[in-house]
Amino acid sequence: MAECIFCGVAAGEVSAEKVYEDDAVVAFRDINPGAPTHVLLIPRKHVPSLNKLVAEDDEAVGHLVRVATQIAEQEHIAESGYRLVANCGSHAGQSVDHVHFHLLGGRAMGWPPG
Ligand code: AMP
């Protein structure tokens, strides 16, 4: 069993409602959604934070962003709009130490975020 919960999701050891997966990226619904659509996208590779990304991760992260746009289409939020955000560190409220992006949509959102 993976020590990291998101590595466990990627490996199929932790149950999650996956909406997409390939060799590099996994996307699944947030267990505690903050919007009508709330999908998390992760690289399969365990990287604990944005601060630890290295050049070899560029392709996977770029791919992840494109996958997010495709999921936005599938979820019918591409036209109304959505937010793709990654929390890094304690001030941002990062609670899982595996790089992840939140795809949020289906309602209007305020700015700046709290
Ligand atoms: P963050 O606070 O930016 O690190 O985001 C972590 C997110 O992971 C939170 O929105 C949690 O609700 C979500 N989360 C934690 N564990 C799971 C899980 N097992 N399946 C789906 N989402 C999860």
Side-chain angles (χ1 to χ4, degrees), residues 5-6 9 14-16 28-32 38 40 87 93-96 100 102:
I5 189 137
F6 286 177
V9 169
V14 173
S15 71
F28 51 97
R29 296 198 190 280
D30 197 292
I31 202 168
N32 184 22
H38 189 170
L40 300 174
N87 295 319
Q94 182 179 359
S95 62
V96 177
H100 53 281
H102 300 253

Side-chain angles (χ1 to χ4, degrees), residues 44-56:
R44 277 194 190 275
K45 177 185 171 188
H46 180 80
V47 180
S49 110
L50 291 179
N51 290 338
K52 300 295 184 187
L53 287 168
V54 294
E56 73 174 31

Side-chain angles (χ1 to χ4, degrees), residues 33-86:
T37 291
H38 189 170
V39 172
L40 300 174
L41 296 104
I42 63 169
R44 277 194 190 275
K45 177 185 171 188
H46 180 80
V47 180
S49 110
L50 291 179
N51 290 338
K52 300 295 184 187
L53 287 168
V54 294
E56 73 174 31
D57 302 319
D58 289 0
E59 190 174 336
V61 174
H63 177 56
L64 182 154
V65 171
R66 284 260 303 125
V67 168
T69 68
Q70 291 163 1
I71 294 171
E73 287 280 355
Q74 288 166 23
E75 296 283 322
H76 308 293
I77 58 172
E79 293 304 318
S80 53
Y82 55 88
R83 194 167 283 168
L84 184 64
V85 290

